[in-house]
Amino acid sequence: MMRNSDSHPVELHTQAAYAHEAAAHVHSTGDHESAQELARKALGYSVKALKQTEKIAQTAPQTIQA
């Protein structure tokens, strides 16, 4: 999986989902510090995905909906 700022939004959302799953698991074991770090990573991936999606939307042709 790519891990740079040019990653596709779908890949970034997938990474965020995995990080959330890992955070939930680690939290359930009592390791709250690691869970918080994983949750921060998940948020970071989500924010990057949003930015990439906005870039794509700005360059995509506009469609008219009736």
Side-chain angles (χ1 to χ4, degrees):
M1 234 179 235
M2 297 169 50
R3 294 189 186 257
N4 62 34
S5 62
D6 296 328
S7 293
H8 194 275
V10 172
E11 292 174 0
L12 291 166
H13 278 297
T14 299
Q15 289 174 330
Y18 283 130
H20 277 295
E21 284 289 326
H25 173 73
V26 171
H27 187 269
S28 72
T29 66
D31 187 353
H32 302 292
E33 187 175 330
S34 294
Q36 286 182 343
E37 179 59 29
L38 287 165
R40 279 189 210 91
K41 285 184 181 185
L43 176 61
Y45 290 135
S46 294
V47 169
K48 285 180 185 178
L50 172 63
K51 289 178 182 180
Q52 289 295 328
T53 301
E54 288 174 340
K55 273 188 196 178
I56 291 168
Q58 289 174 352
T59 61
Q62 300 297 317
T63 58
I64 299 174
Q65 295 181 11

